[in-house]
Amino acid sequence: MDTIETATLEEHLENQSSDAPSTYPGPAEPAEEESKDGKEKAPSQACALRKGARKYPDYIQIAIATDTRSKFPLEWWKTGIALVYALFSLVLTTVMITVVHERVPPKELSPPLPDKFFDYVDPVKWAFFVSEVNGIILLGLWITQWVFLRYKSIVGRRFFFLLGTLYLYRCITMYVTTLPVPGMHIQCAPKLNGDSQAKIQRILRLISGGGLSITGSHMLCGDFLFSGHTVTMTLLYLFIKEYSPRHFWWYHLICWLLSAAGIVCILVAHEHYTVDVIIAYYVTTRLFWWYHSMANEKNLKVSSQTNFLSRAWWFPIFYFFEKNVQGSIPCSFSWPLSWPPGCFKSSCKKYSRVQKSGEDNEKST
C-alpha cells in the first residue's frame, strides 16, 4: 500500500508541475513520507528555488548587513585634541624660555662651555639663517603633502602628539639645567627683573614670530638643552619619509639634505652646543620609532607584563588616539576637496528592478 500511495503522489506532483506555470513546490507531503524522505526533501526544495530563480530573474536580491566600520576611522575630534595639546606645549615653551632667560648667567662671568666642534669650526653668522630657511621649506613641503593624504586626520594627530610631547620634554630640560650661552657673539635681551607685564609682551612676541630669529622675535637666551630647531627639522623629515611613496627616493634625499644641512648649520653658527643637537636627534627619532612601532603592531597596543613599551607615561594617551586604527596606515592620497560638491550629485543613480518596473507601469497606464 505504501508503494502504491507513493507512486500516486509522485504522479500527482508531476501533473501539477506540468500544468501550473509556477515553480513553487507542491503541497506538503504526509507526515509519514516526511519522516521517511526527510533527508531528500531539503535538496529538492533548494533545487526548485534555483530553477525558479533562473526562470524568474526579476527576484530582488537583499544584501545582508555587514560590519561597515572602517579599519582607519578618521575621528577628526581626536585630531583636534592633539592639536590643542601641541599648541599648549608650544605656548608653555615660550613661557619657559621667558622664565629661564632671567636665570642665564652673563657671558662675561660664565663664558661658553668647552665644545669639541667649536674647537675646529669658527662661528659663521649667516649659517643660522640658512638653518631656519631649511626648516621653513621642510614645513611647507610637509603641509602640502599632509593636505593630500587620504588619512590626514590620523597622521595629523600623530604629528601633533609627538611634537607636543617633544616640546614638553624640552620645557623640562631647559628649566632644570640652565647652560651659559654657547658663543660670545650671541646678544641676549636685557633682563626684566620681575616686570610681569613686560614678560607677557615677550611671550606674545615669541608666539607671533614663531620663535624664529629671522622674524626678530627670538632675542632670549637659555633655551639650549635641547635644540628645538633640530627637533622640528628631524621630525618633519621623519614624517615626510614615512608617509610618502617608497620609490620617491629623490624626494626623500632632498628632504634629508635640507634637514641635515639645517642641523649642521646650527652648530656652524654656534647657536647650540653639540650635546644639544645630539640629544634632540636621539629623543626625536626614538620617540617617533617607538610610537609608530606600537601603532602598527596590534600586540603592542595592549598593556601587559611583557610589553614594556606600555609602561611609558603617555601610553594611555597613545591608546586613546590609536585604539580604533587597525594596522599600518597605507600610503594613499586623495584630493582635499571633492568636486562636484555633494549637493550637485544625484543620490538615485542606481535603481532596483522593483523601482524600474514600477516606473514602467506608471508610464504604461
Side-chain angles (χ1 to χ4, degrees):
M1 290 296 294
D2 293 341
T3 305
I4 296 174
E5 184 178 357
T6 303
T8 305
L9 181 59
E10 291 178 354
E11 182 179 358
H12 174 70
L13 290 176
E14 290 177 358
N15 295 333
Q16 185 176 5
S17 61
S18 60
D19 295 339
S22 174
T23 59
Y24 289 94
E29 296 180 356
E32 296 179 359
E33 293 298 326
E34 183 178 358
S35 61
K36 292 182 179 180
D37 302 331
K39 296 182 180 179
E40 299 178 359
K41 184 178 180 180
S44 62
Q45 289 179 350
C47 183
L49 289 175
R50 285 194 297 269
K51 291 181 180 179
R54 288 195 297 267
K55 189 173 182 181
Y56 298 95
D58 292 337
Y59 286 162
I60 303 172
Q61 296 182 356
I62 301 175
I64 301 175
T66 57
D67 189 5
T68 58
R69 292 180 300 176
S70 174
K71 292 177 60 178
F72 308 105
L74 299 181
E75 297 177 320
W76 278 100
W77 62 278
K78 291 185 179 181
T79 307
I81 294 175
L83 175 60
V84 172
Y85 171 69
L87 292 177
F88 169 78
S89 298
L90 293 174
V91 172
L92 182 62
T93 301
T94 60
V95 174
M96 199 61 61
I97 292 174
T98 306
V99 173
V100 172
H101 175 77
E102 303 296 321
R103 293 172 18 192
V104 176
K107 56 186 177 183
E108 293 79 13
L109 300 178
S110 297
L113 298 175
D115 191 288
K116 205 63 180 176
F117 186 88
F118 297 166
D119 294 341
Y120 297 99
V121 180
D122 295 330
V124 179
K125 294 182 179 181
W126 51 263
F128 197 64
F129 174 82
V130 173
S131 175
E132 292 191 337
V133 170
N134 287 5
I136 294 174
I137 295 174
L138 285 171
L139 180 61
L141 292 174
W142 167 240
I143 292 176
T144 304
Q145 178 180 330
W146 175 80
V147 167
F148 288 94
L149 286 174
R150 183 178 181 183
Y151 303 103
K152 60 177 69 68
S153 62
I154 302 176
V155 178
R157 81 175 69 117
R158 292 178 178 180
F159 178 80
F160 293 140
F161 173 75
L162 293 179
L163 183 67
T165 304
L166 287 168
Y167 270 85
L168 189 62
Y169 286 158
R170 187 167 180 257
C171 290
I172 298 173
T173 56
M174 76 170 67
Y175 181 77
V176 297
T177 303
T178 303
L179 300 178
V181 293
M184 298 299 291
H185 65 285
I186 297 179
Q187 300 296 327
C188 300
K191 297 181 180 180
L192 300 177
N193 298 321
D195 190 350
S196 301
Q197 185 176 0
K199 289 181 180 179
I200 294 176
Q201 292 178 356
R202 281 185 173 178
I203 293 172
L204 296 177
R205 185 180 179 183
L206 275 173
I207 295 174
S208 61
L212 299 176
S213 298
I214 58 176
T215 60
S217 61
H218 196 346
M219 297 295 295
L220 306 181
C221 300
D223 58 332
F224 301 122
L225 188 65
F226 46 88
S227 171
H229 287 70
T230 304
V231 166
T232 303
M233 286 186 286
T234 304
L235 190 65
L236 288 172
Y237 167 72
L238 291 173
F239 269 92
I240 288 173
K241 182 179 180 182
E242 179 66 24
Y243 296 103
S244 59
R246 295 293 180 262
H247 61 275
F248 280 16
W249 59 269
W250 51 270
Y251 179 52
H252 301 158
L253 179 61
I254 292 174
C255 293
W256 182 86
L257 290 174
L258 288 172
S259 178
I263 294 173
V264 172
C265 284
I266 295 174
L267 296 175
V268 173
H270 289 203
E271 291 289 336
H272 274 282
Y273 292 103
T274 306
V275 68
D276 301 340
V277 174
I278 293 175
I279 293 176
Y281 172 81
Y282 182 85
V283 174
T284 304
T285 53
R286 268 58 189 175
L287 188 60
F288 178 89
W289 293 334
W290 290 342
Y291 188 97
H292 283 78
S293 296
M294 296 166 66
N296 295 336
E297 293 293 335
K298 184 178 180 180
N299 295 332
L300 297 180
K301 291 183 179 181
V302 181
S303 179
S304 62
Q305 295 181 352
T306 57
N307 182 15
F308 292 94
L309 294 177
S310 64
R311 301 182 184 181
W313 68 266
W314 45 265
F315 180 80
I317 306 175
F318 160 81
Y319 182 76
F320 170 74
F321 286 147
E322 301 289 341
K323 63 180 179 180
N324 295 328
V325 180
Q326 307 296 326
S328 58
I329 302 297
C331 183
S332 58
F333 297 86
S334 63
W335 290 104
L337 298 176
S338 59
W339 185 261
C343 57
F344 295 104
K345 293 182 180 180
S346 175
S347 59
C348 300
K349 289 184 178 180
K350 296 182 179 180
Y351 294 87
S352 65
R353 295 188 178 185
V354 173
Q355 290 174 321
K356 189 175 180 180
S357 61
E359 292 177 356
D360 294 340
N361 293 334
E362 292 179 358
K363 292 180 181 180
S364 63
T365 54

